[in-house]
Amino acid sequence: MKRPVAHKYGAKAALCGFCTKPHPSRREAKRCADLHILQRAGEIDELEVGPRFFFEINGRPLVHDNGRRAVYTPDWRYRRVNDDRAVVEDTKGMRVRDWPLRKALFRACYPDIEVIES
């Protein structure tokens, strides 16, 4: 039997109670539960857990040296009902080294979507 691997930054996996996806940290699970409550209250709509966004420049996919396409997977994507704005949100307990570059690339490739760190 395989032993569970400890998280790199000491986070403990948790469930939010609304979705079946286990979250890598308690902070992320709590925020997921909050977002589900906001969706039930009608403040946000179209909540999606773990969407994938591929980076393209001038219509061509951005590809790593190993051939894989560069991708950004935020924790959530949703639409605010009051201003009809698309939002992606990432829960950051610790900022990793590549986050500022990934965020800048996302903003350049998807200027109509707001990026939120919680």
Side-chain angles (χ1 to χ4, degrees):
M1 187 166 126
K2 244 180 155 180
R3 291 181 59 191
V5 179
H7 192 273
K8 182 176 176 179
Y9 298 107
K12 306 254 191 265
L15 293 171
C16 79
F18 290 96
C19 60
T20 58
K21 178 188 176 287
H23 298 284
S25 70
R26 291 181 195 146
R27 174 185 293 195
E28 187 176 315
K30 182 181 179 328
R31 183 60 184 156
C32 186
D34 292 345
L35 289 172
H36 278 90
I37 291 168
L38 288 173
Q39 184 174 22
R40 286 185 177 184
E43 294 183 31
I44 64 171
D45 197 13
E46 302 171 11
L47 178 62
E48 183 181 352
V49 179
R52 295 173 59 127
F53 293 92
F54 292 98
F55 296 125
E56 289 186 2
I57 298 176
N58 295 331
R60 296 179 54 193
L62 189 60
V63 180
H64 293 280
D65 288 341
N66 63 6
R68 289 181 33 214
R69 291 171 47 188
V71 64
Y72 169 54
T73 307
D75 296 328
W76 304 279
R77 173 176 49 188
Y78 55 88
R79 185 180 57 82
R80 284 196 204 123
V81 173
N82 61 353
D83 61 1
D84 203 39
R85 179 138 174 122
V87 176
V88 296
E89 187 171 333
D90 231 331
T91 300
K92 296 286 181 208
M94 167 136 346
R95 291 180 118 200
V96 290
R97 184 180 62 201
D98 70 337
W99 169 243
L101 177 60
R102 193 174 297 261
K103 185 165 114 176
L105 273 169
F106 182 82
R107 284 184 171 161
C109 293
Y110 298 92
D112 297 338
I113 303 176
E114 181 181 353
V115 179
I116 296 177
E117 294 175 58
S118 60

